[in-house]
Amino acid sequence: MAELATTSIPTSVPARFNPWPITIFTILCILAVLFLAPTIGVLLSSIKTTRAIALGDLWSWPDTFYLGNYVEVLSNPSVHRYFLNTLLVTVPATIASTALGVLAGYTFAKLPFRGSNMLFLLIVAGMFFPPQVILVPLFRLFNSVGLIDTLWPIGLVHTALGIPICTLLMRNFFATIPNALREAAILEGANEWQVLTRVALPLSLPALAVLATLQFTWIWNDFLWPLIFTQSDDMRTIMVGIVNLRGQYTVAWGVQGALSLIASLPTLLIFLFFQRYFIKGMTMGAVKG
Amino acid sequence: MAEVTLKNIRKSFGAVEVIKGVDLEIERGEFVVFVGPSGCGKSTMLRMISGLESVTSGSIHIDGADVTHVAPSKRKLAMVFQSYALFPHLTVAENIGFGLMLNKVPKAEIDQRVRKVAQTLQLEALLDRTPRQLSGGQRQRVAIGRSIIRDPRVFLFDEPLSNLDAALRVQMRLEIARLHKELADVTMIYVTHDQVEAMTLADRIVVFNCGRIEQVGTPMELYHNPANTFVAGFIGAPAMNFIDGTVGDGGAIQVGDISLSPATPVIRRGPATVGIRPEHLSLVGSEEADFDARIELVEKLGAETLLYLNTPFSDKPLTARIDGSTAIGEGENVHLKVQPDSIHVFPV
Amino acid sequence: MAEVTLKNIRKSFGAVEVIKGVDLEIERGEFVVFVGPSGCGKSTMLRMISGLESVTSGSIHIDGADVTHVAPSKRKLAMVFQSYALFPHLTVAENIGFGLMLNKVPKAEIDQRVRKVAQTLQLEALLDRTPRQLSGGQRQRVAIGRSIIRDPRVFLFDEPLSNLDAALRVQMRLEIARLHKELADVTMIYVTHDQVEAMTLADRIVVFNCGRIEQVGTPMELYHNPANTFVAGFIGAPAMNFIDGTVGDGGAIQVGDISLSPATPVIRRGPATVGIRPEHLSLVGSEEADFDARIELVEKLGAETLLYLNTPFSDKPLTARIDGSTAIGEGENVHLKVQPDSIHVFPV
Amino acid sequence: MERENRLWRLILLALPLIVFSVLVIWPLLSSFYYSFTNWNGFSSDYDYVGFENFTRIWTDRLFFNATVNTAIWMIAAILLPTVLGLALALLLDSKVRGSKVFKTIFYLPICLSAIVVGQIWVWIYQPDWGLLNTAIEQITGERFNYAWLARPGSALYSVIVAWSWQQTGLSMVIYLAGLTAVPSDLLEVCEIEGASAWQRIRHVIIPLLTPSTVVVVALSVINSLKGFDILFIMTGGGPFNSSDTLAMHMYNESFRKYFMGYGSAISVVLFLVALTIIGLYFRQLKKVDEIYG
Amino acid sequence: QSGEVTISHYFTGELGLRAFNEQIKRFEDATDYTLKDSPVGHEDYKTDILVRASGNSLPDVFSYWAGARVQFIADSGALLPIDDMWEKAGLSKVIAGSIAASATEYNGHRYLVPFNYHYAGVFYNKAVLDKAGVSEMPTDWDGFLALCEKLKAAGVTPLALGSANRWPAQFWFDYLLLRTAGPEYRAHLMAGEASYDDPEVKRAMEMWKDLTDKGYFTENANADSWTDASDKVARGDAAMTLMGTWITGYWNGLGLVPGEDYDFFPFPAIDSGVPVTSVGPVDGLVIAANAANPKGAEAFLEYMVTNTDVQAAWSKAQGALSANVNVDPSNYNSVMLKAFNTVDDSEVFAFNYDLATPPPVAEVGLSMFARFMDDPSKVNDILSQAATDASAAFKQ
Ligand SMILES: Nc1ncnc2c1ncn2[C@@H]1O[C@H](COP(=O)(O)OP(=O)(O)OP(=O)(O)O)[C@@H](O)[C@H]1O
Ligand SMILES: Nc1ncnc2c1ncn2[C@@H]1O[C@H](COP(=O)(O)OP(=O)(O)OP(=O)(O)O)[C@@H](O)[C@H]1O
Ligand SMILES: [Mg+2]
Ligand SMILES: [Mg+2]
């Protein structure tokens, strides 16, 4: 009795322990390890001599980090050239393709017309064939206008090939923006362009970020077009550079690993930079309201 | 002359026809209110006038000009949406000033005009918040502000007050009334569910039902001379009571085993639906009573009290509206009298 | 015993404290209505009870148990949202049956129960549409249906009827009242802006203001004995008129150069705010009049008429509510009398 | 309204359409033209052979094989990364500690080029000292040297795994973005209606993510064609065509066997197949719009 | 006599590229021409050349593999005959006869100058064989089988084969066929005048199958690249590998010493009376039919093949043999010298399979080898399959 009398009822029970976060965390850790393994492999290959790799101890953790590959890559002037060229192609092409996608996507999402679906389908279809199909015609096209062995055709082709996905993505995203917003803006006297730039785009940061990242990554990592459209070494891009590290009979694994890692840094940075915008999808919550 | 003219407007969403031929003339400076049950096409009608929704057939004229195919922004009208349609990425201030910004109005002037509007709508404190941080009511006020700020010649409101609290609703109502007075030649078209808004704001009320106009007229016309049972039942709250009866010789009406004699005898003989407004039923002494009833439910509203009455001659309870001071309880039996001059008779 | 108990609840969004210490006891089966100006925290309070919003401090007890940190679903309550919160990918029927589906109720039973609900809400025709194809009102009805279908012990409504049209609103109101009667021991907490809803549905009304409770009581208590000017002004529509005055010797009240004598003399002397409800002002002959006034605006609602009166002793117009049949026009001068037994006096 | 809209459509669509037609449509058509010739790529002259190339397809054992593989590849390439990505997104969405780090780790592979990804996976699958077999040996304790990429039975699937590894991060990111767009009040309804975590995902989140899924699938399809590179590097379609896809087959015929005409014919077929796929995909899209648009 | 000469080549990889640029330098110094070169990894090289040919914008000069591939381009009329230049420069005296005959002449015209060539032999790890107590190398088939048996008994896998990229397997087919059916027949087969299910082919394949059945080959041949296989030999996991002389370049790169760590012996004779044949590829230089600067192109070709310094340096760097008879053999290390002499002594020089038969057919054959290595027991089906595919390919 006494105990009972003295036991006081808490005014508020504390939040109960929740097992989920820790479980999820462990699962994620395991997955993370699995996902990292191959990348680690690249890293390892980049800090070992081609000889060591050839003799089959790629996966062992080296006691001495051989940095010669990096030195060789970074000290190579044509590598710098490759980087510059790749940038000169990737950045404009990314912007251009995204911009065109925005234009088309907005039209399909907010200004549908009879046959617009067919047209949209045609454009989207443009991403369902292997690029090799148009290799020869495009080469002839650019050759006839004397653009071969310049960076132009690469940028142009990537812009064009980017249109389908950009259009698709932007269209879907714009579709989620309530028409009421567009209508309100129009009644306020906005023309379509203003609706696009002042209402639709500000709300589309997530989609734009995703697109920019993807396009940048894809264009950056592509090596088919640069290979075909450029010939002289000082027009080559980084990926062609990597491919050309493969000799007719030999491959310099170490150097290739090093260059590959360095080459993938920009795309990673782009991702890290845009990442925060991905989540800006938040705004949608309010848009719906 | 007519400011807004609707000529045989029809609208279909795919197969479903939601507006089935609407003709309407709205005078300049007139305040017209659309009422009607949910889903009857009020919003759709309004959107077609604004130009946001294309008409399936028929034509719309504003100020004499056929604007059926003119761009919304060219129609010189403003609209307040049922959904707030605020720009999530802009602050309240920017939302209100959006239109001005588009028209390149100098920053300073925008600011000053925005403040003024914000004041009338009690939004000063929130000018820097984004819509997401506002409660429902606050959002709708911003929306109203946005359309009030640039003074168009036709105002379209789609239930602008339906999310405001009672106090504010009354205030905004008077606000809009005042606005209407001030802008004498601005035409206003206003969709609402709210009896009081409709009755008080409207110069004319347009009653919609299933995409058709049931009746158009001043509030009092609709109140006193509803064209049919639908309007009669829709205008006036609580709704009119309907009882099946027959008009006998001498124009008296036989309802169940009791007989009501309207002030003005009814001409058409035969079965009819009798309409009696709750406010025209009054409690009286047994001797002068038209009939007796049993109180099923009492709703005390303070100033007045609503009684729901079970009667022998009607399966669903009759509503009576009596003074709030009357002390009365559920289950009691009462004697009722009908105001002879306010009995409505509709042919069936 | 108390079904829902709130102990010193506080809630802050970041720096802004929107609920500033709320204590409340709600009996089992009681119907409590939260009213208050927009943005005063009604929804927030409701969401904290439901468990959707965490409390910053204080504790919530349901049926004696502390549920402050219990998952919403474990609190055995249902909620109808201000935003409809319908699942866009589900048909109306599926939306309504959602909860049952989750609890693995057999398909047939779900169907049958859904139909029943759909009937009471007049949704039969729409059962196979998706929310997008519904008008505002139709959507809200679906939302109500979804929470009605599984019978919880506490019902939370956040302005469930605010999007319904007048006719349907009345009907739904009675529907909910009936529901409340049937489920005698289901507690209902109901947020609304609508006077009538509050007065008619509530066993007790809780008046919120700026995150605090101003007064709790039955509708009639609040109507007849408001604790302060806020409540007095908030309860009853149209709102009570407030006039600055002073209580003189003998308990009579001096307003401007006229004097009002309440039925029960006021004890506290000195300056005071006098409150008079519109329905307690009546037009009389000059001889028995308390004061004269000039009519600024007339609002005819049919059964009754609202007068907005300019008086020498009040800068903003007084509202008077008189019988609808009275013929009267703007600009006229009228004589008014105040019901002595309904004069409210508040200290300043 | 309509008139303005028409004008704006013109203005907005002009540029994209021009670029697209000149640099994609036209080349496509002209390459389709070769499908009616016996052009070998080198010689400047070639003959018009009508539908010979197309009739030949039906007798081409490798074409059939490639078609089957393409189907497998497509399905797996769409399914695996999508499902995996969704799973990861859901896990990460529950605001665990260090989710930013995890996100980056899972995304990392996309940043790597097909060349290096292909190479590293070759090393993983290497039968004698590859990571995979070594791990298996560690676990089972007995010698294991199955040649994943060299056996017709496993080559294609081994590449698919590598491919999924690279692509998962992409769908994850898209889904993460999509998740933030799920209206909170709908999730609140779930809380109140007492939906279990699984039910919430199954009945609400996944359906509401449909717009994201539309995108993810689209991306997967595009990439599955980009997947050509990684396939090319890891198996080159081998061993003995066991991992040929239509793209690879088309490449072999055109660039290794110099049957440009026939190669074009294959790509025509491939394109038609694609069109039908998109047709279906589009019906879906329409529905999605009606519901969520 | 000046101007720019454009050239595409597949001599990539740090070693290849550097060495080649040195030779270019030499040429530019020696003449007034400037060279604009475009190196492409050799996998993509074929595509690149094809695309550029289709856009008739081939470079003035490009490197290509002598044999059926050049034949194919020549047939397509995309190449410029160099008979005049050949005459003027008297290349017949400069270029080794065995090569000149097979590699440079197509449809009765000279099209190609050999830049260097390789020879395929059985390269082995000296240490391993010593340990197994093998002193002299087999010259006939039985001797070879005995050697393999001995090694196997000693616990080392006799033969390493890395056919992941298919082509390394072809040398086995080439030599087995050449040593049994002889060059004549093989030429017919390569030209489509014989069928893959002929008894001759069957016999060769059976012998090959015999080796696999006896377990002389390393496991998972299809999983290893040729370097993996070479590494196995270098490490001593396996004893020998049938490979081209470029393996010396690779092994030297890994630090092995020719003659001490490794050596080779020619593929042993099988049937008597069959002409002794050496197998290997020839890297050649050709001129595009519509070359912008044909004069410069010819000058370049002439210089590259005739200049002994270029040839010496280049073949050294590539671990290849020079087609120029005037190159001083002392440039070669002992192994290469041996290879040089072997080729010299052999009566016929034949291109390895994928250079000997038209590309479409080569695809069929290479796949066939891979398939054979995957499951030798299916040899008969494989051959009949190859027969039908090959004849189909020839028809196109
Ligand atoms: N986009 C649409 N597609 C199909 N039907 C629609 C669409 N918009 C509205 N409707 C239908 O048209 C009818 C009229 O809709 P509308 O919104 O005009 O009604 P309302 O009178 O405004 O209703 P409320 O008073 O609830 O707002 C409704 O039945 C609705 O279901
Ligand atoms: N997520 C949020 N972040 C910041 N402030 C918020 C948030 N939600 C609500 N508020 C603020 O809290 C206050 C109370 O909001 P709440 O929605 O409870 O008011 P309400 O009484 O429901 O208003 P209404 O009657 O218009 O629905 C408001 O001032 C609002 O701005
Ligand atoms: Mg509406
Ligand atoms: Mg609220």
Side-chain angles (χ1 to χ4, degrees), chain B residues 135-136, chain C residues 42-44 82 158-159 191:
Chain B
S135 69
Chain C
K42 304 183 295 296
S43 298
T44 308
Q82 189 167 15
D158 192 343
E159 308 183 25
V191 172

Side-chain angles (χ1 to χ4, degrees), chain E residues 211-379:
Chain E
L211 296 178
T212 58
D213 292 347
K214 292 209 174 85
Y216 291 162
F217 282 100
T218 48
E219 287 179 282
N220 300 325
N222 283 343
D224 290 352
S225 68
W226 75 272
T227 47
D228 295 329
S230 315
D231 296 338
K232 283 181 176 170
V233 176
R235 285 201 301 270
D237 303 352
M240 313 177 279
T241 182
L242 177 58
M243 189 43 65
T245 37
W246 53 82
I247 196 176
T248 63
Y250 178 67
W251 271 346
N252 300 349
L254 294 183
L256 279 64
V257 181
E260 294 174 23
D261 296 329
Y262 68 89
D263 200 343
F264 86 94
F265 59 85
F267 197 89
I270 300 175
D271 294 357
S272 53
V274 179
V276 180
T277 313
S278 300
V279 171
V282 175
D283 296 307
L285 297 171
V286 294
I287 303 178
N290 54 359
N293 185 351
K295 283 274 149 287
E298 289 186 338
F300 179 71
L301 261 59
E302 177 180 351
Y303 183 85
M304 281 290 139
V305 68
T306 51
N307 184 302
T308 50
D309 301 345
V310 169
Q311 279 293 317
W314 175 248
S315 51
K316 196 181 191 67
Q318 285 281 293
L321 297 164
S322 169
N324 186 325
V325 291
N326 307 329
V327 172
D328 176 0
S330 63
N331 279 304
Y332 298 126
N333 62 46
S334 63
V335 175
M336 291 307 288
L337 186 59
K338 195 157 146 201
F340 175 76
N341 296 328
T342 317
V343 177
D344 224 21
D345 304 341
S346 58
E347 301 152 68
V348 183
F349 184 86
F351 299 120
N352 44 275
Y353 179 84
D354 62 348
L355 299 182
T357 194
V361 188
E363 283 299 310
V364 174
L366 292 176
S367 291
M368 161 181 133
F369 304 148
R371 198 161 159 213
F372 171 79
M373 286 314 293
D374 186 66
D375 184 358
S377 65
K378 288 223 181 60
V379 61

Side-chain angles (χ1 to χ4, degrees), chain A residues 20-21 24-25 27-29 31-32 34-39 41-42 45 53 56 58-59 100 103-104 106-108 111-113 117 119-138 140-142 156-157 159-161 163-165 168-169 171-172 175-176 182 186 191-193 196 206 210 213-214 217-218 221-223 239 242-243 246 253 256 260-261 264 267-268 271-272 275-276 278-282 284-285 288, chain D residues 1 5 8-9 11-13 15-17 19-20 22-28 30-32 34 39 46 84 88 91-92 94 96-98 100 102-116 119-121 123-124 129-131 134 164-170 172-174 176-177 180-181 183 197 211 214-215 218-219 221-223 225-226 228-229 233 247 250-251 255 260 267 270-271 274-275 277-279 281-282 285-286 289 292-293:
Chain A
W20 273 112
I24 291 177
F25 186 77
I27 297 175
L28 282 171
C29 287
L31 286 172
L34 290 179
F35 261 78
L36 267 179
T39 322
V42 186
S45 75
I53 298 167
L58 167 77
W59 291 106
L100 293 182
L103 293 181
Y106 180 82
T107 317
F108 289 125
L111 295 171
F113 51 95
N117 276 346
L119 186 57
F120 182 47
L121 182 139
L122 186 69
I123 291 184
V124 174
M127 64 195 188
F128 287 82
F129 61 85
Q132 287 82 2
V133 175
I134 55 175
L135 210 55
V136 172
L138 279 178
R140 293 184 145 188
L141 175 66
F142 288 114
L156 286 171
V157 168
T159 307
L161 290 178
I163 289 178
I165 182 58
L168 176 68
L169 253 166
R171 177 191 171 284
N172 285 3
T176 63
R182 169 174 171 271
I186 285 183
N191 60 34
E192 218 61 50
W193 180 253
L196 175 58
V210 172
T213 314
L214 290 182
T217 310
W218 287 341
N221 284 339
D222 173 60
F223 70 102
M239 285 307 144
I242 294 178
V243 177
R246 299 163 164 264
W253 302 121
Q256 179 183 301
S260 302
L261 276 189
S264 54
T267 52
L268 181 58
F271 169 71
L272 293 177
Q275 196 183 24
R276 52 211 173 95
F278 290 12
I279 302 314
K280 275 267 184 69
M282 279 298 184
M284 301 312 293
K288 294 226 187 294
Chain D
M1 193 67 187
N5 288 354
W8 277 110
R9 283 183 200 116
I11 297 171
L12 294 173
L13 278 181
L15 202 48
L17 285 188
V19 174
F20 192 69
V22 174
L23 294 180
V24 177
I25 302 293
W26 179 81
L28 265 180
S30 59
S31 96
F32 289 172
Y34 293 122
W39 188 43
Y46 46 80
L84 262 171
L88 290 179
L91 286 175
L92 286 172
S94 58
V96 289
R97 214 193 285 93
K100 229 183 174 54
F102 284 121
K103 221 180 300 167
T104 314
I105 291 177
F106 295 134
Y107 186 85
L108 202 56
I110 297 180
C111 303
L112 301 172
S113 61
I115 304 151
V116 61
Q119 186 53 55
I120 198 65
W121 278 89
W123 283 334
I124 289 177
W129 46 264
L131 189 63
T134 321
S164 308
W165 169 78
Q166 198 197 6
Q167 295 305 318
T168 298
L170 186 53
M172 174 197 71
V173 169
I174 306 280
L176 275 173
T180 61
V214 170
V215 174
L219 289 174
V221 174
I222 302 171
N223 291 346
L225 291 166
K226 287 189 161 53
F228 173 90
D229 298 347
I233 288 156
M250 171 268 183
Y251 176 85
F255 295 99
M260 273 294 170
S267 52
L270 182 54
F271 192 68
L275 265 183
I277 295 176
I278 312 163
Y281 170 85
F282 236 64
L285 204 64
K286 263 236 191 67
D289 277 0
Y292 303 89

Side-chain angles (χ1 to χ4, degrees), chain B residues 16 36-39 82 84 129 135-138 141 159 162-170 173-174 181 193-196 199-200 219-220 223-224 234 279 297 299-304 306 308 321 330, chain C residues 16 36-39 82 84 129 135-138 141 159 162-170 173-174 181 193-196 199-200 219-220 223-224 234 279 297 299-304 306 308 321 330:
Chain B
V16 209
S38 175
Q82 188 167 14
Y84 321 106
R129 288 206 200 175
S135 69
Q138 296 165 326
R141 273 141 68 198
E159 307 182 24
S162 54
N163 289 324
L164 302 189
D165 63 49
L168 198 63
R169 205 197 271 114
V170 173
R173 195 178 80 214
L174 295 171
K181 270 212 178 58
H193 285 139
D194 185 309
Q195 285 293 321
V196 182
M199 300 296 280
T200 56
M220 287 306 118
Y223 179 79
H224 291 299
F234 196 83
E279 48 268 34
L297 172 70
E299 285 186 344
K300 286 187 174 301
L301 304 182
E304 68 207 16
L306 298 184
Y308 296 88
R321 180 181 188 179
E330 300 181 2
Chain C
V16 208
S38 175
Q82 189 167 15
Y84 320 107
R129 287 206 201 175
S135 68
Q138 297 164 327
R141 275 142 67 198
E159 308 183 25
S162 53
N163 289 325
L164 301 191
D165 63 48
L168 197 60
R169 203 195 272 117
V170 172
R173 196 178 79 213
L174 296 172
K181 270 212 180 61
H193 284 138
D194 184 327
Q195 285 291 323
V196 182
M199 301 295 279
T200 56
M220 285 307 116
Y223 180 79
H224 292 299
F234 197 83
E279 49 269 34
L297 173 70
E299 285 187 344
K300 288 185 172 300
L301 304 182
E304 68 208 16
L306 299 183
Y308 296 88
R321 180 184 190 177
E330 301 182 1

Side-chain angles (χ1 to χ4, degrees), chain B residues 108-128:
Chain B
E109 183 184 346
I110 296 182
D111 269 14
Q112 166 258 324
R113 282 170 71 177
V114 167
R115 301 223 156 283
K116 195 163 137 301
V117 171
Q119 216 157 9
T120 52
L121 297 172
Q122 309 177 355
L123 288 170
E124 296 107 318
L126 309 175
L127 279 177
D128 298 331

